[in-house]
Amino acid sequence: MASGSTQPLADPHRAEIERQCARLVHVYANANDAADWDKVAALYAEDGVMFRPTAAADGVAGRDRILASLRARPPRTTRHVCANVVVDVLSETEATGESAMLLFIGSAKPLVGSFHDRFVLTDEGWRFAERRGSLTFGA
């Protein structure tokens, strides 16, 4: 479901859910740039699915497989800048979100894209049920 296409949850906790989900987006970017793969993988639900912007058709399902996929990456220096984060609360346990992403990789040309996220409330707190990246410019 596209971000902005639902009515916001009329609940006093909506703003807090939005804040927590938006925080996940930013924590993800910082942990990714620090190559803290354990932290990045822990931001997904156990059965979460990750679609990288550079491989948008190839999902990696499950926290353990996501972690293995991240650890298999060659080392690199990156800086992710996330903006225009909009979270739509669907219920007390589900939300969707969209954000713009600018990725700097060393001296390479920056990549510009977006993430479309599905968030779910777990026993560990809010996590990504699905994180689907795509590129608009670059590659």
Side-chain angles (χ1 to χ4, degrees):
M1 185 172 298
S3 183
S5 64
T6 62
Q7 292 292 329
L9 180 67
D11 183 280
H13 303 293
R14 181 183 54 80
E16 180 59 18
I17 293 169
E18 290 172 350
R19 186 193 69 74
Q20 289 182 34
C21 291
R23 185 176 190 280
L24 275 180
V25 170
H26 297 293
V27 169
Y28 186 97
N30 290 338
N32 198 332
D33 291 335
D36 187 343
W37 306 133
D38 291 315
K39 188 171 189 172
V40 172
L43 297 175
Y44 283 89
E46 282 292 335
D47 60 350
V49 183
M50 175 184 74
F51 293 85
R52 287 191 174 109
T54 55
D58 300 323
V60 179
R63 189 183 285 169
D64 291 339
R65 289 189 65 219
I66 290 169
L67 179 57
S69 173
L70 292 167
R71 287 182 174 164
R73 294 172 130 175
R76 63 185 188 163
T77 300
T78 63
R79 174 51 75 192
H80 290 76
V81 179
C82 299
N84 304 346
V85 179
V86 176
V87 174
D88 290 320
V89 178
L90 305 177
S91 72
E92 289 288 331
T93 60
E94 295 180 283
T96 60
E98 181 177 355
S99 58
M101 180 267 307
L102 178 59
L103 172 58
F104 297 94
I105 307 172
S107 61
K109 189 178 201 179
L111 301 176
V112 178
S114 61
F115 282 100
H116 288 83
D117 299 314
R118 284 190 309 109
F119 305 99
V120 63
L121 183 60
T122 71
D123 290 341
E124 301 166 297
W126 286 93
R127 295 293 184 264
F128 293 104
E130 181 179 287
R131 181 140 237 244
R132 188 177 289 270
S134 61
L135 290 176
T136 309
F137 306 111

